[in-house]
Every structure is written in structure tokens, then in C-alpha cells.
Amino acid sequence: MNSGAASFDELDRKIITALMANARTSFAEIGSSVGLSATAVKRRVDRLRETGVITGFTATVKPSALGWRTEAYVEVYCEGAAPPRRLAEVVRNHPEITAAMTVTGGADALLHVRARDVEHFEEVLERIRVEPFIRKTISVMVLSHLIPDSPEAGATQAVPPEAGAPANHAADVR
């Protein structure tokens, strides 16, 4: 991947928009809509991949179909200044954490957690809390997605083999 600035024009934007809407769209279909040949679209897509503009292709899956029926956001508060790389090591050990980021404000980090049910979520939360530098967590359970087609409403990670128990939706604020 090239770390330099990539040449990026309006045709590239149109190609990326088409691929984001449906990554399985053929180069011929995209070319027809943007006024290029399939070969020219392929060359541009290859260049966008090489320069790191396009980072991959994925399928969006309904989380409940994979056993994820409970979802929450967890604010993490650390003792002192926990370096982001240390937080990253911790979240990598929990496959139920589908996204994690450091944030501004009172919390040090925000985690997006998916679990089979509330009991599984509680188990994940307890595993997070045993880390010596974590002072407290505040959890907010997701009740519904107001924008069902958003990336947050889909899943892009594999589900651990033990997922699949029925759901019990409840609010949990700690």
C-alpha cells in the first residue's frame, strides 16, 4: 500500500459510491453507469486498492442471524492515562467487541459490544472490568436501530462458535 497522496477524481468517487452500494456490482455495470469500459473501471479499482483508498470488500450480515441478539456501547474509564495501544491489546482479546475507539470527554474509550444475550454481555463486561487499569464502565444497551441500513446495524466480524442463545433485551447502566 502506498502511503502517499492518491490521485482521486470524480470518476473514482462514482466508482467507490457504486461499490459501497453493492460490492458485487460488476466492472461492466459500473462502467456503464460512469461512462468507462469495464477494463478502465478495473484499472481504477486496482489503483484505489493499491493506494489504500479501497481497503477491502465485505458482506453485511444481520447480527441476529449469527446469534448476536444483544448490543451495547460501553464507556471505559481508566486509572491514570492508559495508552491507546494498551487498550487495543485488551479489546483484541474480546471477540464480542466489534469496534473500539479512544474518545474525548469523560470516558477514555468507547466500545461497541455484541453478545448472545444479556447474560453473555454481563460476562464480557466482567472480563473487561478485571483489567487492572480500568476504573469503571458505563453501559448503554441498544434497543433498536433507527437507521437499519447503517454500518452499525450490520456485522462485519465472525461470531464466536458459542453464539446463538435466545435474546433477552434489557437496559443496563452501570
Side-chain angles (χ1 to χ4, degrees):
M1 179 170 79
N2 182 355
S3 60
S7 171
F8 193 78
D9 63 18
E10 191 56 33
L11 283 173
D12 292 333
R13 287 187 196 286
K14 289 178 180 179
I15 291 168
I16 289 169
T17 299
L19 289 171
M20 287 173 62
N22 181 358
R24 293 180 57 127
T25 304
S26 72
F27 293 148
E29 290 172 298
I30 294 170
S32 171
S33 70
V34 301
L36 293 174
S37 70
T39 304
V41 171
K42 182 188 181 320
R43 277 196 304 268
R44 283 177 175 258
V45 169
D46 289 345
R47 178 179 46 80
L48 291 167
R49 291 185 71 196
E50 288 169 10
T51 58
V53 173
I54 295 175
T55 59
F57 300 91
T58 188
T60 302
V61 179
K62 185 177 177 182
S64 63
L66 299 175
W68 295 128
R69 290 181 168 70
T70 298
E71 176 180 10
Y73 287 89
V74 179
E75 292 180 351
V76 176
Y77 296 80
C78 300
E79 289 291 344
R85 84 174 170 279
R86 178 66 183 115
L87 286 165
E89 289 170 12
V90 168
V91 299
R92 275 191 217 106
N93 292 329
H94 303 281
E96 299 89 351
I97 299 173
T98 61
M101 57 286 304
T102 55
V103 295
T104 62
D108 293 294
L110 183 65
L111 311 178
H112 183 209
V113 178
R114 291 195 186 267
R116 292 184 312 269
D117 51 35
V118 173
E119 291 165 328
H120 181 205
F121 171 72
E122 186 174 27
E123 172 205 314
V124 173
L125 196 57
E126 292 306 319
R127 280 191 273 134
I128 293 166
R129 288 178 175 164
V130 299
E131 293 296 329
F133 63 88
I134 295 185
R135 180 171 46 93
K136 76 174 185 175
T137 62
I138 297 177
S139 304
V140 179
M141 300 295 280
V142 174
L143 300 176
S144 64
H145 285 272
L146 301 177
I147 304 174
D149 296 332
S150 69
E152 293 79 10
T156 59
Q157 291 185 322
V159 174
E162 69 275 359
N168 178 10
H169 296 280
D172 171 34
V173 178
R174 296 183 190 238

